[in-house]
Amino acid sequence: MTDTKVYLLDGGSLVLDGYHVYWNRGPGGEVRFPVYSILVEHKDGRFLIDTGYDYDHVMKVLPFEKPIQSKDQTIPGALALLGLEPKDVGVVVNSHFHFDHCGGNKYFPHAKKICHRLEVPQAANCQPFEHLGYSDLTFSVEAAEARGQAEQLKSGQTKANTTFEGIDGDIELAKGVKLILTPGHSIGHYSLLVEFGSRKPILFTIDAAYTQKSLETLCQASFHIDPVAGVASMRKVKKLAEDHGAELMYSHDMENFVTYQTGTKFYG
Ligand code: 5PN
Ligand code: ZN
Ligand code: ZN
């Protein structure tokens, strides 16, 4: 049996004001933060959790987030560093559909796709304050059409090859690869817990906690659908990490990210 390995695919960086990263707390000022995707190599196959942001989309719709992304930091580029191509990934899971987590979905028409059962409907019919978050709709023909944004779609994208299996609750994707339901930031947000043969588990908070400080202070980002649920999800993540003796890894924490293994280095 091959042991599970986790690779972090560096997806470049973006900028937000500190009051968006730390809602009602700040301090204000530009914060540059990383974006990355998580590739799990498991005996049952390759699972990719999230697909980063699309540079052209951000420049067109959110240029004030000042994207920096090299060729190696695109999804095909990051996979190529590992000698892989998009077609080598069998399953794509989206933690949620904010633009910085689904921008590379377009490279995976062949893959099985999984998300929370409420995330596609929400992206298709989001709250007014969620429009910027759910602005890259290239992951779903259904959502793009519902939002009157079919012009975003790439050639070859069809309803069939952008359909998701909808899930709910905590589920084990494959042995030791667990999706942990952490709603609040978005309606059906998932965090990820990965267990290994010979190292402690890793709990990826994803956007339930942008940074270590977010979790320590129970301070969520200003982008959310339900802040009370968001606090409950942060408490759930903390307890789960304690119960499993897991290492916590945060989605958008530059200070910690620079210490993470990326490129050809891996966890496992
Ligand atoms: C990075 C970033 N920027 C803006 C938004 C938003 O409006 O909802 C989520 C989000 C982001 O993750
Ligand atoms: Zn998000
Ligand atoms: Zn995010």
Side-chain angles (χ1 to χ4, degrees):
M1 170 182 142
T2 39
D3 277 343
T4 299
K5 289 181 187 165
V6 166
Y7 292 88
L8 304 187
L9 309 186
D10 181 357
S13 62
L14 296 170
V15 163
L16 281 175
D17 185 78
Y19 275 100
H20 282 306
V21 178
Y22 300 108
W23 183 45
N24 285 347
R25 181 183 281 259
E30 281 199 356
V31 178
R32 182 165 285 282
F33 61 92
V35 172
Y36 65 94
S37 306
I38 304 158
L39 180 68
V40 180
E41 290 216 357
H42 188 275
K43 70 174 169 55
D44 292 351
R46 283 195 194 89
F47 299 84
L48 178 63
I49 294 82
D50 290 344
T51 63
Y53 70 80
D54 181 276
Y55 182 86
D56 292 340
H57 173 79
V58 176
M59 284 308 283
K60 194 167 166 191
V61 178
L62 314 93
F64 45 84
E65 294 202 9
K66 304 179 181 176
I68 298 180
Q69 186 182 65
S70 70
K71 197 165 167 247
D72 287 346
Q73 292 171 324
T74 64
I75 283 285
L79 287 172
L81 294 177
L82 306 176
L84 298 173
E85 296 177 30
K87 66 170 171 47
D88 298 317
V89 174
V91 180
V92 172
V93 179
N94 288 98
S95 63
H96 64 306
F97 289 118
H98 287 164
F99 70 90
D100 53 322
H101 296 261
C102 65
N105 271 50
K106 59 179 76 72
Y107 299 114
F108 301 94
H110 56 277
K112 176 176 176 174
K113 285 167 273 287
I114 298 174
C115 67
H116 188 273
R117 66 181 180 83
L118 296 178
E119 274 289 326
V120 176
Q122 190 68 19
N125 184 25
C126 62
Q127 291 293 334
F129 54 80
E130 293 184 300
H131 274 243
L132 216 46
Y134 290 116
S135 59
D136 186 340
L137 299 168
T138 55
F139 66 93
S140 166
V141 168
E142 182 190 333
E145 286 182 351
R147 293 270 300 279
Q149 294 278 317
E151 74 276 6
Q152 283 191 13
L153 296 166
K154 310 295 167 193
S155 72
Q157 290 197 288
T158 63
K159 278 197 175 141
N161 69 23
T162 60
T163 292
F164 286 75
E165 181 188 315
I167 58 172
D168 202 353
D170 295 349
I171 69 137
E172 191 159 17
L173 254 188
K175 194 162 188 312
V177 183
K178 295 170 181 168
L179 294 173
I180 311 298
L181 186 59
T182 49
H185 174 73
S186 74
I187 198 155
H189 185 275
Y190 272 108
S191 301
L192 173 72
L193 178 67
V194 185
E195 295 168 328
F196 301 89
S198 51
R199 60 151 287 147
K200 64 179 165 184
I202 302 177
L203 205 175
F204 294 95
T205 61
I206 314 199
D207 281 359
Y210 276 25
T211 73
Q212 182 175 351
K213 186 173 117 184
S214 308
L215 196 60
E216 284 170 1
T217 59
L218 298 176
C219 183
Q220 64 204 286
S222 68
F223 316 112
H224 46 251
I225 181 90
D226 181 345
V228 177
V231 173
S233 289
M234 283 198 271
R235 294 192 197 280
K236 177 177 180 177
V237 161
K238 269 189 176 178
K239 177 158 194 324
L240 202 66
E242 279 167 23
D243 291 350
H244 285 74
E247 179 175 346
L248 279 157
M249 296 182 82
Y250 306 91
S251 58
H252 298 312
D253 183 333
M254 190 60 96
E255 216 178 303
N256 276 301
F257 183 73
V258 295
T259 72
Y260 295 170
Q261 315 254 51
T262 57
T264 56
K265 294 183 244 153
F266 60 87
Y267 296 89

